[in-house]
Structures are given as structure tokens and as C-alpha cells.
Amino acid sequence: MAVETFALWVSPTGRFRLLHWDTVATPDDALCCTTARPIDLTTQLIMWVDEDALLLNQPLNGPACALLSTYQALPSPYFGDIVFTGSTDAQGNILGLTQDQAFMLVDRYLQRPALLPRPRRTT
């Protein structure tokens, strides 16, 4: 039985969407761009960005940058839509994420410390 795989698409507005990786040919297709650049986050996770997003005046992708900050101490700013996939296999094919892996990324975004409410000071 084949396992369904996905890519996690993140928009600058904070919208997250699962893309069926079996139906998306490349990160370029997922991002609707001509040149998607990979950023290796771990041995099993790649973040793909539109190389021309800044030139096309796309907005800063705050949600993706916040998620990226859980992997890197000082992440670079990235613009436009961003897609997360698995790594590559021995033949260079890009692997999708399992549904659990994609949901773990969303959980990681939601649980980052910067957004946790702080208790009110009572004085």
C-alpha cells in the first residue's frame, strides 16, 4: 500500500495548506514560479522559496520565517509563498512529507515560544 505524501504550503497571510505531493510535479509548480530555491533545514526537511519573490514585490512570509526560526537561530527573511517538503532520495527525487510530518510542522509553528501568552502582572 502506497503512503500518501504531502508538501506544506505556507502563505504570507498565515494560511497553511497540505498539497498532495503525488499531484505536484515540482516545488516550482507548487509555488507557481520559475525558480524555486531549496533551503535544507534537516536531513529530512527542505524549505522551498521563490527565488524572484522579493523582485516581484511579494510580502514577507512572517509565518514561514517564524517556523524557520525554530530550526535556525538567525533566519533570513523570505518573501511570498513557501513550501516545505521532505528531503531527496538517492536519485535526486524530492520526497513528500507524511501527513504526520506536515502536522508536526504546523504544531511546531503554533507552539513556538514567541507567541505564548504571558501571565498578567498583578500589582
Side-chain angles (χ1 to χ4, degrees):
M1 185 169 136
V3 175
E4 274 189 303
T5 58
F6 301 90
L8 181 65
W9 173 86
V10 182
S11 79
T13 62
R15 185 171 175 215
F16 287 68
R17 184 173 40 162
L18 283 180
L19 304 175
H20 285 274
W21 192 243
D22 301 332
T23 62
V24 178
T26 66
D28 298 0
D29 293 337
L31 293 171
C32 300
C33 71
T34 55
T35 309
R37 181 169 55 96
I39 298 160
D40 291 324
L41 301 180
T42 71
T43 57
Q44 298 179 354
L45 183 64
I46 299 173
M47 182 176 87
W48 298 87
V49 299
D50 179 353
E51 190 75 80
D52 298 324
L54 184 59
L55 296 173
L56 296 171
N57 207 25
Q58 297 293 314
L60 176 70
N61 192 321
C65 292
L67 181 56
L68 180 60
S69 72
T70 67
Y71 290 94
Q72 298 177 350
L74 298 170
S76 298
Y78 293 102
F79 298 83
D81 295 335
I82 292 175
V83 170
F84 292 88
T85 68
S87 192
T88 56
D89 64 14
Q91 291 77 33
N93 299 314
I94 301 164
L95 304 172
L97 301 168
T98 65
Q99 192 173 33
D100 287 343
Q101 289 171 319
F103 288 154
M104 283 177 27
L105 283 171
V106 175
D107 285 345
R108 192 168 193 158
Y109 169 76
L110 293 173
Q111 294 178 12
R112 68 194 191 286
L115 291 183
L116 292 178
R118 299 176 200 258
R120 288 187 178 187
R121 294 174 85 175
T122 55
T123 53

